[in-house]
Amino acid sequence: MKFGSSGVRGLASELVGRPSGLYTEGFARRLRSTGFQQGKVFVGRDLRDSSQAIAEDCMAALAATGFQPVDCGPIPTPALAFYARRHDAAALMVTGSHIPADRNGIKFYGPKGEIDKADEAAITSHVADLSDQYPWPPPHADWQTGHEQALAAFRDRVDGILAPRALSGMRLGVYQHSTVAAELLVEILRSYGAEVIPVGKTEVFVPVDTEAVGQATMAKVKDWVREFKFDAVLSADADADRPLIIDEEGELFRGDLIGLATALFLRADIVVTPVTSNSGISEAFGFNVKRTKVGSPFVIEGMNAARQAGGIVVGFEANGGVLLGSDCPVNGRVLSALPTRDSFLPILAVLGTMASTGKSLSSLRETWNLPVCASERLENFPIEKSRGLMRRLTGHDALQQFLAPFGTVADVDETDGLRARMASGEIIHLRPSGNAPEFRCYAEAASHDRATEIVAIALERARDSTEAVQ
């Protein structure tokens, strides 16, 4: 178990019980050291099999430390974070997000929002200090519930993002699978006047990675688009902090397009986004662009720095999750800052843009004319293999040899992994996942087929080179 790009992650079997309590105790000690001595801590979870047990372990540990856990049940991460922020309280979300069902994680929030890298380091240090002496299980305790109240507060937040009946005439599908957003998303879209048809609800947990949507998922969505003649299909990952948007032709509306649409919808002055986001998102769209390492803590750090310049600050990641770094006016009211990933705001921003322009999603894609991106990952790829491969590729000659099938390397950005710009203008970005034993590749090219081809070849070479070393 370790902190990755968003929260602590590990095998579910290694998180249930004492380990969850131990990390929660580390979090409680960090809260106290930063001045949050006692009070409520809101706890939510996604719908994977292990999440309820881990959430109960965390609440038991919180109660033992003198805090007051409030059980918010299965709830979208942005709803939990918003409710805690509104009460100037801490929060804890049990979710593995998009990673496989046998893994899980915990995201931590202080009274001001998502914790940063300094907080993660402090919690890790507390865990190390406590590991041999932490008692388990703690004494039995009862706690309050706050599920309906937290959902109601979040509904009120999103109810005013668009004008009443703004989505009238739209025919939308909601791919429900096992996301905690399944019912709420249907409810909200219908409240704006759209005709909404829920599809694909499952009883078993389905990991949906909005940065690397599987072929089987895309095939199902294409069938639904043809059958129901949808204007769009909407969904989210397990904890609903990453949106999934499919256009009227059954094609993925990628996260960088979602982020761009949201920044334009909110009239952003400054956009903060990781190096993995589309290179075509630049000052040409009317906002200042700041690039960061991959992971919401880095985007939040960048937004905090950018906010000093004033104006509307919007952050987003290549997975489509949008973070609102400042209060901003929307539809005649003020939408308060929410510096954690959210899927609801970007979904409404994209649909609102469709409604106001009269354009389909595919037409919006053509209007913005960004480089075409593709991404995929090697799953179950041990962290040691990823690290070894990155060490071998560091240095121009080694990277040039690895990328020889794609031409000549013009320059390399090492902000996070190795992002090579080729002499042709194509981009190939290699990096280990921060959340799971996976190795990722991102590519930009002139066409979808070419970008997809680059990713496939690069990942095949990554797999082959690590097997050759063994």
Side-chain angles (χ1 to χ4, degrees), residues 183-459:
E183 307 301 333
L184 184 59
L185 189 52
V186 171
E187 177 186 330
I188 288 168
L189 296 177
R190 284 178 176 165
S191 74
Y192 281 114
E195 178 187 358
V196 183
I197 300 176
V199 291
K201 185 131 186 213
T202 62
E203 295 301 321
V204 297
F205 181 80
V206 176
V208 171
D209 186 346
T210 60
E211 262 187 299
V213 184
Q215 292 181 357
T217 297
M218 290 304 299
K220 284 191 295 189
V221 174
K222 283 179 182 288
D223 288 341
W224 293 325
V225 169
R226 282 193 293 266
E227 179 182 356
F228 296 106
K229 296 180 172 54
F230 288 134
D231 295 303
V233 176
L234 299 315
S235 189
D237 65 341
D239 65 319
D241 70 344
R242 299 174 170 211
L244 178 66
I245 301 179
I246 308 294
D247 72 16
E248 79 284 0
E249 297 175 353
E251 300 296 333
L252 180 67
F253 198 74
R254 285 183 53 87
D256 39 28
L257 292 168
I258 296 171
L260 173 60
T262 309
L264 293 171
F265 176 82
L266 295 174
R267 296 181 172 84
D269 297 298
I270 302 173
V271 165
V272 182
T273 189
V275 292
T276 47
S277 290
N278 197 304
S279 64
I281 297 168
S282 64
E283 283 75 4
F285 285 98
F287 35 67
N288 188 5
V289 180
K290 307 290 186 183
R291 299 281 179 169
T292 72
K293 289 185 176 181
V294 175
S296 51
F298 296 111
V299 176
I300 292 168
E301 181 182 12
M303 292 195 306
N304 288 339
R307 198 167 53 243
Q308 298 174 13
I312 297 171
V313 181
V314 175
F316 68 84
E317 299 187 283
N319 54 46
V322 169
L323 306 90
L324 190 53
S326 61
D327 295 350
C328 69
V330 176
N331 191 33
R333 59 187 280 186
V334 175
L335 190 66
S336 61
L338 184 59
T340 194
R341 280 193 304 260
D342 179 12
S343 64
F344 289 84
L345 171 59
I347 285 173
L348 293 176
V350 169
L351 295 177
T353 301
M354 289 173 61
S356 64
T357 61
K359 292 185 176 182
S360 66
L361 286 176
S362 61
S363 295
L364 287 176
R365 185 189 291 111
E366 293 172 4
T367 298
W368 294 324
N369 194 31
L370 295 179
V372 180
C373 295
S375 62
E376 191 48 274
R377 81 277 199 207
L378 296 175
E379 298 181 88
N380 300 313
F381 197 80
I383 294 171
E384 296 75 17
K385 280 189 176 184
S386 291
R387 290 174 177 168
L389 177 59
M390 297 304 288
R391 283 195 298 270
R392 292 194 299 277
L393 294 182
T394 301
H396 185 274
D397 291 344
L399 186 61
Q400 175 61 70
Q401 183 178 357
F402 183 85
L403 297 179
F406 313 109
T408 303
V409 175
D411 60 72
V412 181
D413 184 335
E414 297 186 24
T415 301
D416 194 327
L418 298 170
R419 183 176 174 86
R421 184 182 296 275
M422 310 304 289
S424 64
E426 294 174 339
I427 291 177
I428 307 162
H429 187 175
L430 306 168
R431 60 176 290 273
S433 169
N435 290 320
E438 299 174 346
F439 188 80
R440 291 183 176 267
C441 178
Y442 310 79
E444 290 185 17
S447 70
H448 174 74
D449 288 346
R450 175 57 177 166
T452 302
E453 178 187 37
I454 290 172
V455 169
I457 293 172
L459 289 177

Side-chain angles (χ1 to χ4, degrees), residues 162-179:
L162 301 178
R165 309 293 296 175
L167 305 183
S168 295
M170 284 193 185
R171 187 176 175 86
L172 305 174
V174 171
Y175 174 34
Q176 294 188 300
H177 61 92
S178 51
T179 175

